[in-house]
Each structure stands twice: as C-alpha cells, then as structure tokens.
Amino acid sequence: MQRALVIVDIQKDYFPGGAHPLEAPEHAAAAAKQLLDSFRAAGDPVIHVRHEWDEDGATFMRPGTEGVEIHPDVAPVDSGLVITKAYPIASVRRRSSPSFARLAWTSSSSAG
C-alpha cells in the first residue's frame, strides 16, 4: 500500500512571535515531526500545504512575509512538494489540484 503524509498549515505565523499565534502550536509541530520522520525514513511521500492570505485586510499568512513560511520543525527538505492554498481548509480542493493529481496513493495521514 502506498501512503502519503499531508502536513497542513504548520507555519510561523501560528507560533509565538507570529502574527496570529495559536494555543500550544509547538505540540502540534512536535506530533507532526514524529509522523514526518517516520514517513521520510520509510521513503513515503510527504506533501506540505501552506496557506497564503492575499486579500486586502489580511492580518496574517500574507505572501512574502516570514510568517507564511513553514515552521522549521517540519520544513520540507530537498525537493519536497509544497502546495500553496488560498482557502482555510486544504482538503476542500486537494483532489482537484494539479499537484495532487500527479500523485497516487491509497492511504494518507494529515498533520497540522
């Protein structure tokens, strides 16, 4: 069975010092890192999904800011696939994305 890990929105703006810090994002990042390490060790695909909010009045996840970057604990390595989305929920359009369409897997796990 081919499996893939989809890491969603673990971005700097959600951490202390970011534009929109969440409650204990370090715990989510640590759990995602454990999954990420196991998927990488197994050679399974990893897809990073990041949110960019490119609208007037956007207060966080603004394109070109440091806060939009994926947190270093779970950052992509080498040529890891990164998909940028403009919607709050990645799964809404994930199967229709050309980047996702190139991938084939029978099982997926998400973190974020």
Side-chain angles (χ1 to χ4, degrees):
M1 169 173 59
Q2 179 69 29
R3 63 185 191 149
L5 175 64
V6 181
I7 297 179
V8 181
D9 295 353
I10 301 182
Q11 293 169 256
K12 291 181 178 180
D13 265 351
Y14 288 138
F15 287 79
H20 191 76
L22 299 178
E23 179 80 24
E26 300 86 0
H27 296 295
K33 183 172 178 5
Q34 285 184 325
L35 279 172
L36 176 62
D37 291 345
S38 72
F39 273 71
R40 284 181 175 158
D44 291 324
V46 175
I47 300 106
H48 292 80
V49 180
R50 67 182 202 152
H51 185 189
E52 284 190 3
W53 187 10
D54 192 13
E55 294 180 13
D56 291 340
T59 58
F60 61 100
M61 298 301 175
R62 294 178 314 273
T65 65
E66 184 177 344
V68 80
E69 295 174 12
I70 295 171
H71 193 273
D73 287 353
V74 295
V77 295
D78 302 324
S79 61
L81 177 60
V82 178
I83 295 174
T84 300
K85 63 183 177 72
Y87 302 95
I89 301 172
S91 61
V92 170
R93 298 184 184 264
R94 97 176 173 187
R95 294 294 181 180
S96 61
S97 163
S99 297
F100 275 101
R102 289 193 306 265
L103 300 171
W105 67 81
T106 54
S107 174
S108 68
S109 299
S110 356

Coordinates of all heavy atoms in Angstrom, one line a residue, residues 22-56:
L22 N -1.2 30.7 18.0 CA -2.3 29.8 18.5 C -1.9 29.2 19.8 O -0.7 29.4 20.3 CB -2.5 28.6 17.5 CG -2.9 29.0 16.1 CD1 -3.0 27.7 15.2 CD2 -4.2 29.7 16.1
E23 N -2.8 28.5 20.5 CA -2.5 27.9 21.7 C -1.6 26.6 21.5 O -2.0 25.7 20.8 CB -3.8 27.5 22.4 CG -3.7 26.8 23.7 CD -3.5 27.8 24.8 OE1 -3.9 28.9 24.7 OE2 -3.0 27.3 25.9
A24 N -0.4 26.6 22.1 CA 0.5 25.5 22.1 C 0.8 24.9 20.7 O 0.6 23.7 20.5 CB 0.0 24.4 23.0
P25 N 1.1 25.7 19.7 CA 1.4 25.2 18.4 C 2.6 24.2 18.4 O 2.8 23.4 17.5 CB 1.7 26.4 17.5 CG 2.2 27.4 18.5 CD 1.4 27.1 19.8
E26 N 3.5 24.4 19.4 CA 4.7 23.5 19.5 C 4.3 22.0 19.6 O 5.0 21.2 19.1 CB 5.6 23.9 20.7 CG 6.1 25.3 20.6 CD 5.1 26.4 21.2 OE1 4.0 26.0 21.6 OE2 5.5 27.6 21.1
H27 N 3.2 21.8 20.3 CA 2.7 20.4 20.5 C 2.3 19.8 19.1 O 2.6 18.6 18.8 CB 1.5 20.3 21.5 CG 1.9 20.7 22.9 ND1 2.8 20.0 23.6 CD2 1.6 21.8 23.6 CE1 3.0 20.6 24.8 NE2 2.2 21.7 24.8
A28 N 1.6 20.6 18.3 CA 1.2 20.1 17.0 C 2.4 19.9 16.1 O 2.5 18.9 15.4 CB 0.2 21.1 16.4
A29 N 3.3 20.8 16.2 CA 4.6 20.7 15.4 C 5.4 19.4 15.8 O 5.9 18.7 15.0 CB 5.4 21.9 15.5
A30 N 5.4 19.2 17.1 CA 6.2 18.0 17.6 C 5.5 16.7 17.1 O 6.2 15.8 16.7 CB 6.3 18.0 19.1
A31 N 4.2 16.6 17.2 CA 3.5 15.4 16.8 C 3.7 15.3 15.2 O 3.9 14.1 14.8 CB 2.0 15.5 17.1
A32 N 3.6 16.4 14.5 CA 3.8 16.3 13.1 C 5.2 15.9 12.7 O 5.4 15.1 11.8 CB 3.4 17.6 12.4
K33 N 6.2 16.3 13.5 CA 7.5 16.0 13.2 C 7.8 14.5 13.4 O 8.5 13.9 12.6 CB 8.5 16.8 14.1 CG 10.0 16.5 13.8 CD 10.9 17.4 14.5 CE 12.3 17.1 14.3 NZ 12.8 16.2 13.4
Q34 N 7.2 13.9 14.4 CA 7.3 12.4 14.6 C 6.7 11.7 13.4 O 7.4 10.8 12.9 CB 6.5 12.0 15.9 CG 7.2 12.4 17.1 CD 6.5 11.8 18.4 OE1 5.3 11.8 18.4 NE2 7.3 11.4 19.4
L35 N 5.6 12.1 12.9 CA 5.0 11.5 11.7 C 5.9 11.7 10.5 O 6.2 10.8 9.8 CB 3.6 12.0 11.4 CG 2.4 11.5 12.2 CD1 1.2 12.4 11.9 CD2 2.2 10.1 11.8
L36 N 6.4 12.9 10.4 CA 7.2 13.3 9.3 C 8.5 12.4 9.2 O 8.9 11.9 8.2 CB 7.6 14.8 9.3 CG 8.5 15.3 8.3 CD1 8.0 15.2 6.9 CD2 8.8 16.8 8.6
D37 N 9.1 12.3 10.4 CA 10.3 11.5 10.5 C 10.1 10.0 10.1 O 10.9 9.4 9.3 CB 10.9 11.6 11.9 CG 11.5 12.9 12.2 OD1 11.7 13.7 11.3 OD2 11.8 13.2 13.4
S38 N 9.0 9.5 10.5 CA 8.7 8.1 10.1 C 8.4 7.9 8.6 O 8.8 7.0 8.0 CB 7.5 7.5 11.0 OG 6.3 8.1 10.6
F39 N 7.6 8.9 8.1 CA 7.3 8.8 6.6 C 8.6 9.0 5.8 O 8.8 8.3 4.8 CB 6.3 9.9 6.2 CG 4.9 9.4 6.4 CD1 4.3 9.2 7.6 CD2 4.1 9.1 5.3 CE1 3.0 8.8 7.8 CE2 2.8 8.7 5.4 CZ 2.3 8.5 6.7
R40 N 9.5 9.9 6.2 CA 10.7 10.1 5.5 C 11.6 8.9 5.6 O 12.2 8.4 4.6 CB 11.5 11.3 6.0 CG 10.9 12.6 5.6 CD 11.7 13.8 6.1 NE 11.2 15.1 5.5 CZ 11.3 16.2 6.1 NH1 12.0 16.4 7.2 NH2 10.8 17.3 5.5
A41 N 11.7 8.3 6.8 CA 12.5 7.1 7.0 C 12.0 5.9 6.1 O 12.8 5.1 5.6 CB 12.5 6.7 8.4
A42 N 10.7 5.8 5.9 CA 10.1 4.8 5.1 C 10.2 5.1 3.6 O 9.8 4.3 2.7 CB 8.7 4.5 5.5
G43 N 10.6 6.3 3.2 CA 10.6 6.7 1.8 C 9.2 7.0 1.2 O 9.1 7.1 0.0
D44 N 8.3 7.3 2.1 CA 6.9 7.6 1.7 C 6.8 9.1 1.3 O 7.5 9.9 1.9 CB 5.9 7.2 2.7 CG 5.8 5.7 2.9 OD1 5.9 5.0 1.9 OD2 5.6 5.3 4.1
P45 N 5.9 9.5 0.4 CA 5.8 10.9 0.0 C 5.3 11.7 1.1 O 4.4 11.3 1.9 CB 4.9 10.8 -1.2 CG 4.3 9.5 -1.2 CD 5.1 8.6 -0.4
V46 N 5.8 13.0 1.1 CA 5.3 14.0 2.1 C 4.9 15.2 1.3 O 5.7 15.7 0.4 CB 6.4 14.3 3.1 CG1 6.0 15.5 4.0 CG2 6.8 13.1 3.9
I47 N 3.7 15.7 1.6 CA 3.2 16.9 0.9 C 3.0 18.0 2.0 O 2.4 17.7 3.0 CB 1.9 16.6 0.2 CG1 2.1 15.5 -0.9 CG2 1.4 17.9 -0.5 CD1 1.5 14.2 -0.5
H48 N 3.6 19.1 1.7 CA 3.4 20.3 2.6 C 2.4 21.2 2.0 O 2.5 21.5 0.8 CB 4.7 21.0 2.9 CG 5.7 20.3 3.7 ND1 6.5 19.3 3.1 CD2 6.0 20.3 5.0 CE1 7.3 18.8 4.0 NE2 7.0 19.4 5.2
V49 N 1.4 21.6 2.8 CA 0.4 22.5 2.3 C 0.5 23.8 3.2 O 0.5 23.7 4.4 CB -1.1 22.0 2.4 CG1 -2.1 23.0 1.9 CG2 -1.1 20.6 1.6
R50 N 0.6 24.9 2.5 CA 0.7 26.2 3.3 C -0.4 27.2 2.8 O -0.7 27.2 1.6 CB 2.1 26.8 3.2 CG 2.5 27.3 1.9 CD 3.9 27.8 1.9 NE 4.0 28.7 0.7 CZ 4.8 29.8 0.7 NH1 5.6 30.0 1.7 NH2 4.8 30.5 -0.4
H51 N -0.8 28.0 3.7 CA -1.9 28.9 3.4 C -1.3 30.3 3.2 O -0.4 30.7 3.9 CB -2.8 29.0 4.6 CG -4.0 29.8 4.4 ND1 -4.9 30.2 5.4 CD2 -4.5 30.5 3.3 CE1 -5.9 30.9 5.0 NE2 -5.7 31.1 3.7
E52 N -1.7 31.0 2.1 CA -1.4 32.4 1.9 C -2.7 33.1 1.8 O -3.6 32.7 1.0 CB -0.5 32.5 0.6 CG 0.9 32.1 0.8 CD 1.8 32.5 -0.4 OE1 1.3 33.2 -1.3 OE2 2.9 32.2 -0.4
W53 N -2.8 34.2 2.5 CA -4.0 35.0 2.5 C -3.7 36.3 1.8 O -3.1 37.3 2.4 CB -4.4 35.3 4.0 CG -5.7 36.0 4.2 CD1 -6.7 36.2 3.2 CD2 -6.2 36.5 5.4 NE1 -7.7 36.9 3.8 CE2 -7.5 37.0 5.1 CE3 -5.7 36.5 6.7 CZ2 -8.3 37.6 6.1 CZ3 -6.5 37.1 7.7 CH2 -7.7 37.7 7.4
D54 N -4.0 36.4 0.5 CA -3.6 37.5 -0.3 C -4.8 38.4 -0.6 O -5.3 38.4 -1.8 CB -2.9 37.0 -1.6 CG -2.3 38.1 -2.4 OD1 -2.1 39.2 -1.9 OD2 -2.0 37.9 -3.6
E55 N -5.4 39.0 0.4 CA -6.5 39.8 0.3 C -6.3 41.1 1.0 O -5.6 41.2 2.0 CB -7.8 39.2 0.8 CG -8.2 37.9 0.0 CD -9.5 37.3 0.5 OE1 -10.2 37.9 1.4 OE2 -9.7 36.1 0.1
D56 N -7.0 42.2 0.6 CA -7.0 43.4 1.4 C -7.4 43.1 2.8 O -8.4 42.4 3.0 CB -7.9 44.5 0.8 CG -7.4 45.0 -0.5 OD1 -6.1 44.8 -0.8 OD2 -8.2 45.5 -1.3

